[in-house]
Amino acid sequence: MPTSKAVLQAIAVTAELTGAQFSPAAARVFADDLSRYPEHQVLGALNRCRKELRGRVTLQDVIGRLDDGRPGPEEAWAMLPKDESASVVWTDEMCEAWGVALPLIEDGDTVAGRMAFLERYRGLVMQARDSGKSVHWVPSLGHDAHGREAVLLEAVERGRLSAPHVALLLPYRDEPHPRIVALLEAKQKQLTCEAAA
């Protein structure tokens, strides 16, 4: 897909404001490398680069700031379960990075575990973005059945899991959870409006 004028202008402005000088050929390659990502994500990432970088912009700086639905490293770390009773809805990359950190944490070295998680997570996110892999959210249910509710309902509200999927994971009730019912009704209204349009 050809690069839009808006993206080319944003690249030029970002380069200038961060002290980088791109030749026309280098700017084209830079733009071509970003063309695999949705334009709104690229523009948002370039905007963040202009505000956050103190040195020359690189392709990795831009890709690392794409908002593709994956949480940033610190946010991802904060979302992790604190023990086996806690439930979490996490990305494939969070789950895999947690597997690297967990043995260190279980040995009592939380600092090393956190550092290992952050390093592995950043690498996995970069690989996923480079390959064009969409974010994939999955629930990991802890032992505390009643503690699942808030985590799962938040995931539905943020669009990370579907309401019908979460309805099957919530603790048993005589009636469906009212927030799930409301979300399902809203989705049905949206589908009806789209069909009528």
Side-chain angles (χ1 to χ4, degrees), residues 85-139:
S85 69
S87 296
V88 65
V89 175
W90 54 10
T91 66
D92 295 337
E93 296 81 17
M94 291 170 66
C95 180
E96 187 173 334
W98 179 240
V100 171
L102 187 58
L104 296 166
I105 293 168
E106 287 176 337
D107 285 343
D109 196 345
T110 306
V111 173
R114 179 179 173 276
M115 291 172 60
F117 172 85
L118 294 175
E119 182 178 341
R120 183 70 179 137
Y121 180 74
R122 286 185 183 106
L124 290 167
V125 167
M126 190 63 70
Q127 288 173 10
R129 288 177 176 160
D130 283 346
S131 67
K133 180 182 172 191
S134 298
V135 65
H136 179 236
W137 292 91
V138 292

Side-chain angles (χ1 to χ4, degrees), residues 172-193:
Y172 174 77
R173 295 172 175 255
D174 290 332
E175 296 290 326
H177 193 284
R179 283 172 63 190
I180 292 291
V181 171
L183 289 165
L184 288 170
E185 288 173 354
K187 184 67 175 175
Q188 186 58 45
K189 284 180 187 175
Q190 178 186 4
L191 291 173
T192 303
C193 290

Side-chain angles (χ1 to χ4, degrees), residues 146 148-154 156-157 163 166-185:
H146 295 290
R148 296 175 188 165
E149 192 170 290
V151 170
L152 293 172
L153 292 173
E154 179 184 359
V156 172
E157 289 169 354
V166 166
L168 298 173
L169 301 174
L170 289 172
Y172 174 77
R173 295 172 175 255
D174 290 332
E175 296 290 326
H177 193 284
R179 283 172 63 190
I180 292 291
V181 171
L183 289 165
L184 288 170
E185 288 173 354

Side-chain angles (χ1 to χ4, degrees), residues 18 20 22 30 49 53 55-63 65:
T18 61
F22 290 162
F30 199 92
C49 287
L53 293 180
R56 307 171 99 203
V57 66
T58 67
L59 189 61
Q60 186 173 4
D61 290 327
V62 179
I63 294 171
R65 287 170 172 77

Side-chain angles (χ1 to χ4, degrees), residues 30-51:
F30 199 92
D32 286 346
D33 287 342
L34 293 173
S35 67
R36 68 169 46 168
Y37 305 105
E39 183 175 315
H40 71 280
Q41 289 181 17
V42 172
L43 291 172
L46 287 165
N47 186 43
R48 287 186 60 200
C49 287
R50 285 191 298 276
K51 294 176 181 176

